[in-house]
Amino acid sequence: MSGKDGRRPTIRDVAERAGVSKSLVSLVMRSSAQVSPARRKAVLDAARALGYRPNSVARSLVEGRTRTVGVIVSDLRNPWYVDILESFRRVLHGDGMRVLIGAGELEHRLDQTVVEAFLDLRVEALCVVGSLPFDPVLADAMGSVPAVVASSHGYELPTVDSVVNDDVHGMRLAVEHLVGLGHRRIAHIGGGAAGVFQARREGYETAMRALGLAEHVRVERCENDEQTGYAATRRLLGCDDPPTAIVAVNDMACLGAVSAAADLGVDVPARLSVVGYDNTPLAGTSHLSLTSVDPRNPEIGELAARRLLARLAEGGAPGVRDLISPRLAVRRSTGHPPADR
């Protein structure tokens, strides 16, 4: 519906229809506790009947707040971030905050236009989810408003909180699981030199050495996607002494490993065990059933939101780094090595 003369309904129209003052309508729209239930219902009923929507821009100017948080996600194609964002959004929504999401990476570089757009919209805080290449524009932005990083490496700044998975421990869980099944020739696909790639590679190498398997350490380079995981696995399985198990940098690369094994006629897990990382919804599907390291993303998102709310309330305290200990979700993609190997 519309207001008088076909125009968009205003707060005055709502007040007249409900039989109350404009100031009381304003209190209801701000969810004030000072309004009685009966009057609140009358105002909301009138607003619904008229099709009235509060002008959030005008309210922001009056209050001096936008109640918005800009979230920059490293890779929107990867399902691992969903649980982080959902728990992050739920906590902030409960505190009256809104979340805006932008894709942070464009052609392996930070998309600076996303950062600039968030600042133009006057977001009250920023959150970085996942590993992004370091960029001074984003670093400066995170220094100008309260900020937190979730499962991200590379933006641990003096006044920025970070909530991250313990990648080293997670890789040790994966390697120990495979060794417990009898595997020794355990390879890793991933191996980048920065961020989560570096942390997980080092975790794999440390675990292999600690378990007396230094001579079997092998890292085959891939990115965090199915295509390069597929290519890395084909290289491993095509060598003279192929591994009996592979630990991937994430579930997407692990999916590539499963596809490569299938194309080469290598049965998973009878001839090759594979372990992913991130425990995405893909890992739990019945036809894949990937054993995967669970970084506890819902807890990461929830704690990141609470850290950000505390920073919004308290100002520029030194940054806090929370290390979340992962778990291993064991499924059907791992088993004992073949008897002939």
Side-chain angles (χ1 to χ4, degrees), residues 25-265:
V25 174
S26 180
L27 287 172
V28 172
M29 295 305 163
R30 295 203 301 270
S31 301
S32 171
Q34 301 174 21
V35 184
S36 69
R39 286 193 164 188
R40 183 183 305 279
K41 182 178 185 304
V43 170
L44 293 177
D45 287 347
R48 190 176 302 109
L50 292 170
Y52 171 77
R53 292 178 59 86
N55 188 327
S56 59
V57 175
R59 186 172 65 188
S60 296
L61 290 172
V62 172
E63 295 181 349
R65 296 193 62 185
T66 62
R67 296 186 181 277
T68 56
V69 174
V71 179
I72 302 172
V73 179
S74 60
D75 184 2
L76 289 174
R77 298 167 300 176
N78 195 324
W80 71 268
Y81 71 89
V82 173
D83 288 337
I84 291 179
L85 287 182
E86 177 55 29
S87 56
F88 183 82
R89 184 205 61 81
R90 185 176 61 251
V91 172
L92 289 175
H93 181 74
D95 204 65
M97 304 290 288
R98 295 174 296 174
V99 172
L100 305 177
I101 300 172
E105 196 168 346
L106 182 65
E107 298 177 350
H108 304 290
R109 294 181 296 108
L110 177 75
D111 186 355
Q112 295 181 353
T113 62
V114 174
V115 182
E116 293 163 358
F118 282 156
L119 295 180
D120 287 344
L121 291 169
R122 299 185 181 278
V123 296
E124 293 189 21
L126 287 170
C127 175
V128 171
V129 179
S131 295
L132 284 167
F134 183 83
D135 190 284
V137 170
L138 179 54
D140 288 345
M142 295 173 76
S144 65
V145 296
V148 64
V149 296
S151 280
S152 177
H153 300 262
Y155 284 91
E156 297 177 359
L157 305 171
T159 59
V160 173
D161 297 319
S162 62
V163 184
V164 296
N165 166 63
D166 188 343
D167 295 293
V168 172
H169 181 59
M171 292 302 284
R172 183 179 181 96
L173 289 176
V175 172
E176 286 180 340
H177 168 66
L178 292 168
V179 171
L181 291 170
H183 294 274
R184 295 180 62 80
R185 295 202 303 276
I186 303 166
H188 172 56
I189 58 173
V196 68
F197 289 96
Q198 179 181 4
R200 292 180 184 176
R201 186 193 75 242
E202 291 178 353
Y204 157 77
E205 293 173 346
T206 300
M208 291 289 283
R209 288 194 295 268
L211 294 168
L213 299 175
E215 63 181 299
H216 296 295
V217 168
R218 180 164 183 186
V219 177
E220 197 66 37
R221 183 68 179 268
C222 78
E223 301 300 324
N224 58 357
D225 57 65
E226 181 180 355
Q227 292 76 19
T228 58
Y230 178 93
T233 301
R234 286 201 67 125
R235 292 193 297 271
L236 284 169
L237 296 181
C239 69
D240 293 335
D241 190 23
T244 63
I246 291 175
V247 181
V249 68
N250 69 358
D251 285 348
M252 297 301 289
C254 193
L255 181 58
V258 172
S259 298
D263 285 352
L264 292 171

Side-chain angles (χ1 to χ4, degrees), residues 243-313:
T244 63
I246 291 175
V247 181
V249 68
N250 69 358
D251 285 348
M252 297 301 289
C254 193
L255 181 58
V258 172
S259 298
D263 285 352
L264 292 171
V266 177
D267 185 80
V268 174
R271 303 293 298 178
L272 178 72
S273 289
V274 294
V275 179
Y277 206 116
D278 290 334
N279 199 32
T280 62
L282 281 173
T285 56
S286 58
H287 68 287
L288 285 176
S289 191
L290 294 179
T291 295
S292 183
V293 179
D294 180 3
R296 298 167 57 194
N297 283 337
E299 290 94 327
I300 289 175
E302 179 177 343
L303 183 54
R306 298 198 185 284
R307 289 293 186 198
L308 195 59
L309 289 173
R311 187 158 292 277
L312 280 164

